[in-house]
């Protein structure tokens, strides 16, 4: 059964930072009021997502994928926000990537028609659910990793027990190297997995895949070498006739958010195979980008002529204590801000006296408690209790997951929508 649109939910105590006087309104009704983030009754801390930056980033990856002949299945684990999935699909995405069964169930509840599961799926309960979804909806497309003979055996047993009618399409995952994460380690291992799939009536081999972000001590040369192994594996499988006559297109998939330029270059070199190739990119962090980890790693740093992503998150926290001239505390901490890779970055200050906004020069976030941010201030910095501090965040995946309902805000502070997450 399809899930209700997030706009139909009622605003209440479940959602951090929303105006107390909006209690009882639906999310859609609150969005229609177009309140201002700073004067519309929101409490701090409050996470805001830039409407303009999200739109820019969606458009940029669409044009990038088109320019390089890539299909695009952005990883939905980043946001777990069906409203953003809808936007990604409207900007040309082939489907949405998932990592675990729960994510796939959320996608289906909100009508996603194609799912790429970039992980092994050996959970019998999840496979029963999948068999039911595939059999109930002939238009539903699903692809999953396989990386072991035992995994193939477990999938086949569970799907057969569930009475699956449609075979599950799978791609053999090539591991990114010794000591890397999942994936068959050698081409011979991959061939053994492919043979196991051929012997399993509930499965259908449609391609190869992997994740170049796990290449140990990654450099462009090492990533490129692994990607050539991946494309070479696809060509070898094709020559050996491992893709059955019912397979209409061969899937070759890679691409996180750090090396998609190299993926595009190597995939462009893939020779013609016996049937069309779906070259599938899976980058997910682009939708919000960030002010830390991905700001440093984005491939657009290497190819600036292709464009630039814009950080879309800003966490607004309020100064609640200024105990010494060199120290201040805001009311946002580990429960509110991504902190697994970098601490937040103080960017701007909004004066509590007149609403003016100025750069946060001389202000540094030095630590986080559960509900406090520790700030160090340089000599002479003006910052007082009541001021709002706008913080940039690093690592989108651990920013989205701390907030169930995120205001989508235009540059002038107008809140145009609320993005619901389902972690």
């Amino acid at each position: 059964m399809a899930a209700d649109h997030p706009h139909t939910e009622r605003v209440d105590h479940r959602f951090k930072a929303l105006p107390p006087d909006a209690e009882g309104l639906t999310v859609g009704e609150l969005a229609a009021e177009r309140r201002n983030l700073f004067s519309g009754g929101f409490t701090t801390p409050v996470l805001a997502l830039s409407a303009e930056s999200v739109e820019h980033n969606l458009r940029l990856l669409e044009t990038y994928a088109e320019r390089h002949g890539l299909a695009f299945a952005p990883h939905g684990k980043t946001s777990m926000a069906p409203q953003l999935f809808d936007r990604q699909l409207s900007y040309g995405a082939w489907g949405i990537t998932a990592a675990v069964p729960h994510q796939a169930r959320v996608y289906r509840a909100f009508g996603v028609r194609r799912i790429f599961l970039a992980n092994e799926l050996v959970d019998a309960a999840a496979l029963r659910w999948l068999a039911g979804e595939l059999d109930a909806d002939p238009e539903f497309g699903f692809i999953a990793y396989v990386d072991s003979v035992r995994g193939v055996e477990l999938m086949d047993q569970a799907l057969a027990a569930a009475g699956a009618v449609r075979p599950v399409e799978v791609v053999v995952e090539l591991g990114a190297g010794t000591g890397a994460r999942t994936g068959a380690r050698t081409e011979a291992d991959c061939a053994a997995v492919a043979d196991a799939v051929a012997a399993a009536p509930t499965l259908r081999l449609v391609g190869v895949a992997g994740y170049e972000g796990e290449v140990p001590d990654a450099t462009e040369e090492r990533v490129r070498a692994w990607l050539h192994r991946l494309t070479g594996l696809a060509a070898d499988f094709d020559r050996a006739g491992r893709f059955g006559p019912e397979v209409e297109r061969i899937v070759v998939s890679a691409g996180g958010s750090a090396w998609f330029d190299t993926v595009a270059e190597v995939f462009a070199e893939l020779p013609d195979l016996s049937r069309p190739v779906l070259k599938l990119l899976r980058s997910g962090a682009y939708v919000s980008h960030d002010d830390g980890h991905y700001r440093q790693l984005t491939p657009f740093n290497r190819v600036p002529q292709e464009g630039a992503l814009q950080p879309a998150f800003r966490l607004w926290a309020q100064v609640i204590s200024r105990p010494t001239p060199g120290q201040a505390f805001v009311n946002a901490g580990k429960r509110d801000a991504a902190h697994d890779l970098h601490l937040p970055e103080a960017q701007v200050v909004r004066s509590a006296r007149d609403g003016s906004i100025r750069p946060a020069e001389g202000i540094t976030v030095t630590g986080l408690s559960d509900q406090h941010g520790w700030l160090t201030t340089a000599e002479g910095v003006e910052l007082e209790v009541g001021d709002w501090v706008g913080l940039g965040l690093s690592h989108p995946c651990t920013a989205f997951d701390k907030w169930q309902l995120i205001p989508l805000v235009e540059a002038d502070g107008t809140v145009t929508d609320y993005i619901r997450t389902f972690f």
Side-chain angles (χ1 to χ4, degrees):
M1 185 172 70
D4 292 335
H5 192 281
H7 280 178
T8 65
E9 286 192 90
R10 294 287 173 182
V11 175
D12 59 24
H13 59 277
R14 292 171 297 162
F15 305 120
K16 295 193 292 188
L18 296 194
D21 67 349
E23 179 106 9
L25 296 177
T26 66
V27 173
E29 289 168 344
L30 179 58
E33 291 185 357
R34 295 178 61 86
R35 297 196 186 195
N36 187 277
L37 185 71
F38 305 110
S39 60
F42 293 84
T43 63
T44 56
V46 56
L47 182 65
L49 195 60
S50 164
E52 293 88 353
S53 293
V54 168
E55 193 77 9
H56 168 87
N57 295 341
L58 290 167
R59 186 180 302 111
L60 180 61
L61 259 292
E62 178 193 33
T63 57
Y64 182 89
E66 289 178 348
R67 188 181 305 124
H68 292 279
L70 300 170
F72 190 30
H75 211 316
K77 72 176 176 63
T78 298
S79 72
M80 286 305 296
Q83 291 152 285
L84 294 181
F85 300 162
D86 285 347
R87 300 294 293 140
Q88 290 169 315
L89 292 166
S90 72
Y91 273 89
W94 172 90
I96 305 292
T97 295
V100 293
H102 160 70
Q103 294 168 358
R105 290 186 63 200
V106 171
Y107 300 2
R108 288 298 288 160
F110 286 92
V112 174
R113 308 296 291 180
R114 292 190 183 124
I115 297 173
F116 186 98
L117 189 78
N119 218 337
E120 283 68 46
L121 180 59
V122 295
D123 183 316
L127 286 161
R128 285 195 299 273
W129 169 82
L130 174 61
E133 287 292 301
L134 287 168
D135 294 346
D137 183 359
E139 300 302 315
F140 174 38
F142 181 89
I143 301 172
Y145 280 3
V146 287
D147 85 336
S148 69
V149 172
R150 175 58 174 160
V152 169
E153 179 185 355
L154 289 170
M155 291 186 75
D156 186 47
Q157 289 174 352
L159 291 167
V165 175
R166 289 177 60 192
V168 173
E169 294 191 334
V170 295
V171 290
V172 173
E173 182 192 6
L174 174 66
T178 303
R181 204 162 64 187
T182 54
R185 292 303 196 245
T186 68
E187 281 73 5
D189 292 338
C190 290
V193 175
D195 288 341
V197 172
T202 63
L203 303 178
R204 176 181 295 160
L205 182 68
V206 297
V208 299
Y211 176 45
E212 75 291 343
E214 280 292 310
V215 170
D217 301 316
T219 63
E220 184 175 349
E221 292 73 22
R222 288 173 178 162
V223 169
R224 190 178 298 276
W226 178 82
L227 286 164
H228 278 123
R229 286 183 62 200
L230 183 68
T231 56
L233 184 66
D236 290 346
F237 278 10
D238 190 40
R239 281 192 295 270
R242 293 189 180 279
F243 303 118
E246 70 283 356
V247 175
E248 297 179 354
R249 46 85 175 103
I250 297 169
V251 178
V252 182
S253 180
S257 295
W259 295 101
F260 57 73
D261 57 331
T262 309
V263 171
E265 292 171 8
V266 174
F267 279 12
E269 301 167 2
L270 184 67
D272 290 339
L273 302 183
S274 63
R275 61 209 81 181
V277 178
L278 183 74
K279 301 173 182 178
L280 194 62
L281 185 69
R282 306 192 306 271
S283 312
Y286 81 100
V287 69
S288 68
H289 197 44
D290 74 1
D291 281 297
H293 185 66
Y294 288 106
R295 179 175 63 189
Q296 297 170 5
L297 294 182
T298 176
F300 289 116
N301 291 338
R302 296 186 291 271
V303 287
Q305 69 277 10
E306 297 264 20
L309 293 168
Q310 297 176 1
F313 273 134
R314 179 164 284 171
L315 176 63
W316 288 97
Q318 195 166 28
V319 178
I320 57 171
S321 181
R322 188 80 159 97
T324 70
Q327 192 176 36
F329 292 88
V330 292
N331 61 349
K334 293 178 181 178
R335 303 297 177 90
D336 313 297
H339 58 88
D340 55 317
L341 297 178
H342 302 96
L343 289 172
E345 174 185 276
Q347 295 180 328
V348 295
V349 175
R350 186 177 189 275
S351 170
R353 295 184 182 273
D354 61 14
S356 61
I357 294 178
R358 63 184 185 275
E361 294 176 354
I363 302 174
T364 304
V365 180
T366 56
L368 295 176
S369 301
D370 282 354
Q371 308 287 180
H372 293 83
W374 296 58
L375 307 184
T376 296
T377 57
E379 184 177 354
V381 167
E382 294 184 14
L383 186 67
E384 61 181 348
V385 171
D387 289 345
W388 287 29
V389 180
L391 304 170
L393 303 178
S394 177
H395 198 190
C397 299
T398 54
F400 275 106
D401 70 2
K402 292 175 175 58
W403 294 82
Q404 289 184 291
L405 206 58
I406 305 170
L408 188 68
V409 185
E410 293 183 341
D412 65 358
T414 301
V415 178
T416 61
D417 204 353
Y418 298 83
I419 304 301
R420 182 71 157 94
T421 65
F422 292 85
F423 285 95

